[in-house]
Amino acid sequence: MNTLCVPSGPESIQTAADLLRRGQVVAFPTETVYGLGADALNDAAVRAIFTAKERPADNPLIVHVAEQGQLEGLCHVTDTAKKLMDAYWPGPLTLLLMKTSRVPDVTTAGLPSVAVRCPRHPVALALLRACKVPIAAPSANRSGRPSPTTAAHVYEDMQGRIPMILDGGNCQVGVESTVVDLTGDIPCVLRPGAITPQDIAAVAGNCTVASSVMRPLKEGERAPSPGMKHRHYAPRAKMTVLVGPDENVTAEMIRRYDAAENAVILAHDSLLPAFGPRRAFGLGNSPRESAHLLFQRLREMDETGCTLILAQGWEAQGEGLAVMNRMARAAAFDIVEL
Ligand code: TXA
Ligand code: MG
């Protein structure tokens, strides 16, 4: 199959919408990462997403809608859900709600709940409005690769597997949406993102964070979200995350870099001058900037053929929690506190 990568505009968005309505798979930009979309209510179309992505069938998809009203008949909207949608939609917040029988089992991997989100990227919204069906979309990477934040990343992973990629430039947020489970008494964050647990508590009155957000699952432990048990965001190189005062991180990175054969450094921009001629990549100067850059940097570092990535982390709270959740998984939880 020939994969067309087309700049987004009124015409290409209409073409993509027509493909979606005919049951095809199309990649499109959102404010978080690129998504691999298909008609969420079309069984065969959703199966085609799993095939293109090589995604395990037990990992459910997020259903994207153009507005709150499109949820009617798809899921049971609770009072808390309504408040959160009013506050943060369109935006990088995914809600887990109980589904109706209209949502096919392939979309939710047989679960009784469905993940729903209204993205705020203008191209995503225009596409949702043009195709008039809810779009099931995981991140548009092949399983186990970092999520794509540019159309070029999508092309790398999906070339020959899908008919069309809508190119809407760089994704602003850079990490996937916050996933919050609203099927229990208290909202529970299963995957942290740009909307923080504090943001959710401010509207819902309360919010917890699943313990598996910052630690590996124990042997035999059931994952609260199937995505958590699968291998994630893994660079080809071994990765170690270092956290602590800047001076300690700098010194330890230099020590480990010089002792290794083929290492690269990924550090906050303010530290870069300290590394001299060593190969070092910048990760911005705030958790928000790091979120925007992380997946792109993981791909760039992989391309150097390095065997060790020494990465500087953030404190795992607020917006730093989303960055550390992805870094921890990329590093297989090899995190060193200095
Ligand atoms: O920002 C995003 O959310 C992007 C863009 C494209 O919208 N999408 C995305 O989808 O990251 P995906 O499939 O890569 O991640 C969805 C996560 C997975 O960890 C999945 O297991 C979880 O949400 N999830 C989806 N439906 C669920 C359900 N019914 N119960 C529990 N977890 C669910
Ligand atoms: Mg994904």
Side-chain angles (χ1 to χ4, degrees), residues 53 55 139 141 147 176 191 232-233:
K53 212 179 135 74
R55 183 177 178 107
S139 48
N141 52 293
S147 291
E176 308 88 340
R191 180 177 73 183
H232 257 261
Y233 323 117

Side-chain angles (χ1 to χ4, degrees), residues 24-282:
Q24 299 279 317
V25 177
V26 169
F28 63 98
T30 83
E31 74 278 23
T32 56
V33 300
Y34 275 75
L36 196 60
D39 179 349
L41 305 182
N42 176 337
D43 226 88
V46 173
R47 276 177 217 286
I49 297 179
F50 283 91
T51 307
K53 212 179 135 74
E54 297 171 30
R55 183 177 178 107
D58 66 351
N59 196 359
L61 307 181
I62 296 175
V63 174
H64 298 68
V65 292
E67 52 175 11
Q68 289 185 33
Q70 207 177 4
L71 294 179
E72 217 180 293
L74 299 182
C75 59
H76 302 284
V77 176
T78 61
D79 291 345
T80 302
K82 176 80 177 97
K83 283 188 206 157
L84 287 169
M85 292 189 296
D86 287 343
Y88 299 118
W89 278 16
L93 179 66
T94 296
L95 309 176
L96 274 189
L97 297 166
M98 296 309 287
K99 81 174 190 81
T100 68
S101 57
R102 265 193 77 206
V103 181
D105 282 338
V106 266
T107 304
T108 64
L111 292 172
S113 57
V114 60
V116 292
R117 147 162 145 84
C118 176
R120 72 164 176 242
H121 195 294
V123 174
L125 281 173
L127 181 64
L128 280 159
R129 290 190 191 114
C131 77
K132 301 187 179 71
V133 292
I135 302 179
S139 48
N141 52 293
R142 253 183 296 129
S143 265
R145 297 264 296 149
S147 291
T149 56
T150 68
H153 297 160
V154 180
Y155 192 76
E156 267 170 43
D157 282 15
M158 289 297 152
Q159 185 185 358
R161 295 166 180 248
I162 58 172
M164 185 174 182
I165 302 167
L166 273 179
D167 185 350
N170 244 284
C171 299
Q172 182 206 352
V173 176
V175 294
E176 308 88 340
S177 62
T178 305
V179 176
V180 59
D181 184 356
L182 297 180
T183 64
D185 291 335
I186 298 172
C188 178
V189 170
L190 304 184
R191 180 177 73 183
I195 307 279
T196 66
Q198 293 76 16
D199 293 334
I200 292 166
V203 170
N206 216 335
C207 181
T208 59
V209 177
S211 60
S212 43
V213 160
M214 278 312 298
R215 64 161 172 77
L217 286 173
K218 296 181 189 125
E219 185 75 24
E221 185 183 6
R222 200 176 82 65
S225 174
M228 284 188 185
K229 72 174 189 239
H230 294 290
R231 208 164 152 267
H232 257 261
Y233 323 117
R236 282 182 273 269
K238 176 183 155 32
M239 176 162 150
T240 298
V241 181
L242 300 108
V243 269
D246 282 352
E247 318 78 71
N248 300 11
V249 169
T250 308
E252 185 61 14
M253 281 188 159
I254 289 175
R255 196 185 67 74
R256 290 183 184 226
Y257 183 102
D258 291 348
E261 280 283 294
N262 189 7
V264 300
I265 288 168
L266 179 65
H268 305 170
D269 287 350
S270 57
L271 265 60
L272 294 180
F275 299 118
R278 296 174 186 83
R279 275 196 303 187
F281 290 80

